[in-house]
Amino acid sequence: MQSGSSALIQQKILIVAHDPAREWLEIALTENQYDVHSASNGYAGLELFKAHAPDIVVSDMTLPELDGLRLLEVVKEFNREIAVIMMTDGEELSQIIHAMELGAYTCLERPVELCRLRESITRALSAKGRAPVPAKGERALPAADLSKTVVGKSAGMREVQRKMAMIASVDSNVLIEGEHGTGKHLVSRLIHNSSRTKGHPFVTVDLPGLPQPLLENVLFGQPGGARHASAKGRKGLFELAGKGTLVLNGISGLPPEDQEKLLRVLQKKEFQPVGGKEPVPLKARVIATSTTSLAELVRAGTFREDLYYRVAPCSIIIPPLAERREDIPRLVIHLIRKINKQFRKNVKRISGDVLNFLKEAEWNGNVGELESVLMHAIICAEGEVILKENLSWQRSGKAGEGQTGLTLDEIKSEHIRGILESTGWNKKAAARLLNISRQSLYKKIKKYGIQPV
């Protein structure tokens, strides 16, 4: 063993795998200065685990004598904190998900790329505060901490965080369900940024907003000359997403004929541009979102059951804000910091009666509505404290007496007007602050009849 910093990186790794992969991995990881032990079956691996107390276990999913899933379960009974990396031979997704539910750190498909395995080991050790010193020319990869970006400590939000971490470690489509304003877009983005899709395109489309004749062209694209010789080709969103993520918002509103087209794409993992002759491989992860339960729509016969199983091998249900009121104070702090940064404000405190109002209000628009209320209050605040008079336009709900009783549409209209006025009616800047497209902003201006005063 070398002296100096090398002595700091002698973490123990146990490999339980079939030959010859076991021998190859043992040699490769030993060269990385890990203390490696290996076994070719589950029972032998368990004995080595008890004898050497490794920091990381790398195991095949299928093993002779003691199955890899059972080995994972037993190892976790001995040490809940140990990271276990499972190697799969293309097992059913349900088995991979079961492994993640049992506590596997990640699942890697065989033949395992050594660089991916090293990255996974580095991440796992980093999460335990025991990462080895990176070799020259390498950099440590910090594990994603989703609890700091998805705000909330309620049981419902801890479950959301747990599922996000699990999904980020597998390559599968995802269904995210939740009411308007619960944060489906945020969760989609975080899954993208926490997966190997990070660095690739993140593409979103609102399916209900697409005119029916254009939907197929927008999703699948159109090659040059598809309709006439001078036609210019245009890539569809499936192709633009590349190896990244395509988010299909409002999938519950997809017409039956388009449900069938989407099903074929997900089944074959390829799509046909409109008028094209050659299929294009589908490389992106597909995330579908819905404000209504797809399972209920399947039971009602309005959504295809086979498509449901294609879009929802993994699913997340984001609870409404009314079911996690204990998260509201923490959300308020997070949103005030965010809005301060957006508008260069310096609000530092919120009065007790205002916080009580926010904790008791109904919040039918969920976190999105809470953010709108706080944004308006911060814009109106003259000092460093949000006062009750800054909520003079507050929405109806369990907030006590003296409310103006504005409807949710009136709140949205006032909020958009306030943003437009703060930007001097610069629609591009306003759309960026509202986190919507300019086209969506124009639609809302028309819908609410917003005009400069």
Side-chain angles (χ1 to χ4, degrees):
M1 184 188 302
Q2 297 177 4
S3 60
S5 62
S6 297
L8 299 175
I9 59 174
Q10 278 285 309
Q11 282 84 31
K12 298 177 184 178
I13 296 181
L14 171 62
I15 299 170
V16 189
H18 301 283
D19 292 325
R22 175 182 65 86
E23 297 171 347
W24 170 72
L25 288 174
E26 183 174 1
I27 293 169
L29 293 177
T30 300
E31 288 177 351
N32 281 98
Q33 298 180 334
Y34 292 111
D35 181 11
V36 183
H37 301 269
S38 71
S40 58
N41 67 73
Y43 282 119
L46 186 57
E47 291 302 314
L48 287 175
F49 175 82
K50 294 176 182 177
H52 298 283
D55 300 293
I56 300 280
V57 175
V58 179
S59 173
D60 274 331
M61 186 82 79
T62 54
L63 291 168
E65 299 185 25
L66 183 68
D67 184 73
L69 286 175
R70 180 56 183 156
L71 175 64
L72 166 64
E73 196 171 13
V74 174
V75 162
K76 283 290 182 177
E77 288 175 0
F78 277 95
N79 181 358
R80 293 291 305 171
E81 302 303 316
I82 191 168
V84 180
I85 297 170
M86 303 297 291
M87 299 183 293
T88 77
D89 281 314
E91 279 85 358
E92 290 293 328
L93 184 61
S94 59
Q95 287 184 278
I96 297 174
I97 293 173
H98 184 44
M100 302 304 293
E101 289 175 341
L102 287 174
Y105 179 76
T106 190
C107 293
L108 303 178
E109 188 173 352
R110 296 180 60 173
V112 174
E113 296 177 10
L114 190 57
C115 61
R116 288 199 67 196
L117 179 59
R118 286 170 176 157
E119 286 179 3
S120 297
I121 291 171
T122 300
R123 286 175 183 269
L125 292 171
S126 295
K128 295 175 64 177
R130 302 187 62 186
V133 178
K136 187 176 181 180
E138 298 180 353
R139 60 186 180 88
L141 299 172
D145 187 353
L146 298 173
S147 65
K148 293 181 181 178
T149 45
V150 179
V151 179
K153 295 295 183 181
S154 60
M157 291 311 292
R158 286 200 303 270
E159 177 65 8
V160 169
Q161 293 163 7
R162 185 189 71 82
K163 285 196 170 184
M164 286 173 64
M166 178 187 78
I167 290 167
S169 300
V170 297
D171 292 327
S172 71
N173 297 331
V174 186
L175 172 64
I176 303 174
E177 295 179 329
E179 296 177 1
H180 287 292
T182 48
K184 296 184 292 296
H185 178 82
L186 172 64
V187 170
S188 300
R189 170 67 79 170
L190 290 172
I191 289 173
H192 172 82
N193 287 340
S194 303
S195 306
R196 66 175 181 173
T197 51
K198 182 179 180 181
H200 296 284
F202 179 80
V203 180
T204 67
V205 58
D206 295 322
L207 295 179
L210 284 177
Q212 182 60 29
L214 296 179
L215 189 143
E216 196 171 356
N217 288 61
V218 170
L219 291 181
F220 307 135
Q222 180 179 325
R227 292 190 177 179
H228 51 80
S230 62
K232 292 183 178 180
R234 185 176 70 176
K235 292 182 179 180
L237 297 183
F238 274 98
E239 188 170 359
L240 289 173
K243 295 181 180 179
T245 301
L246 175 62
V247 182
L248 303 176
N249 290 317
I251 194 171
S252 57
L254 204 60
E257 59 270 25
D258 292 315
Q259 290 183 29
E260 183 176 356
K261 293 171 185 174
L262 179 58
L263 173 64
R264 287 201 299 268
V265 170
L266 298 181
Q267 283 177 330
K268 296 182 178 181
K269 294 188 180 297
E270 62 182 26
F271 56 92
Q272 192 90 20
V274 177
K277 297 180 180 179
E278 296 296 328
V280 179
L282 172 62
K283 300 177 182 178
R285 182 208 291 269
V286 174
I287 297 180
T289 74
S290 178
T291 56
T292 55
S293 168
L294 285 194
E296 291 182 6
L297 296 182
V298 169
R299 287 192 287 270
T302 58
F303 196 87
R304 295 182 64 118
E305 184 174 16
D306 45 7
L307 177 57
Y308 170 75
Y309 289 120
R310 289 289 175 178
V311 300
C314 296
S315 63
I316 294 175
I317 299 176
I318 307 176
L321 194 52
E323 294 180 6
R324 53 184 188 102
R325 293 185 182 277
E326 63 266 43
D327 290 335
I328 289 177
R330 190 174 283 104
L331 272 167
V332 167
I333 294 171
H334 169 76
L335 291 171
I336 288 175
R337 289 171 178 165
K338 174 184 174 183
I339 297 165
N340 273 338
K341 186 176 181 180
Q342 281 183 337
F343 292 95
R344 298 180 181 177
K345 299 285 283 187
N346 192 35
V347 170
K348 296 180 179 179
R349 293 187 292 118
I350 186 168
S351 65
D353 54 350
V354 171
L355 184 58
N356 286 335
F357 161 73
L358 298 176
K359 289 166 64 177
E360 295 172 5
E362 292 294 342
W363 302 122
N364 294 324
N366 293 291
V367 180
E369 186 182 0
L370 172 62
E371 183 172 3
S372 292
V373 169
L374 285 172
M375 190 174 293
H376 186 276
I378 289 172
I379 290 172
C380 293
E382 296 180 358
E384 296 181 350
V385 184
I386 296 178
L387 304 174
K388 195 164 187 179
E389 51 262 35
N390 301 137
L391 300 175
S392 60
W393 65 295
Q394 59 199 342
R395 68 176 303 280
S396 58
K398 298 178 182 178
E401 299 177 357
Q403 297 181 25
T404 60
L406 293 177
T407 65
L408 184 55
D409 277 350
E410 289 170 330
I411 289 174
K412 291 177 179 177
S413 175
E414 286 297 316
H415 172 50
I416 293 170
R417 178 186 295 279
I419 297 297
L420 285 165
E421 289 176 351
S422 72
T423 62
W425 290 83
N426 182 322
K427 295 181 178 63
K428 181 178 180 180
R432 179 171 49 80
L433 289 171
L434 290 164
N435 197 27
I436 59 176
S437 66
R438 270 187 286 178
Q439 183 181 11
S440 296
L441 176 59
Y442 289 132
K443 288 180 180 179
K444 292 179 187 295
I445 289 172
K446 182 178 179 180
K447 175 182 178 181
Y448 299 129
I450 302 171
Q451 297 293 335
V453 178

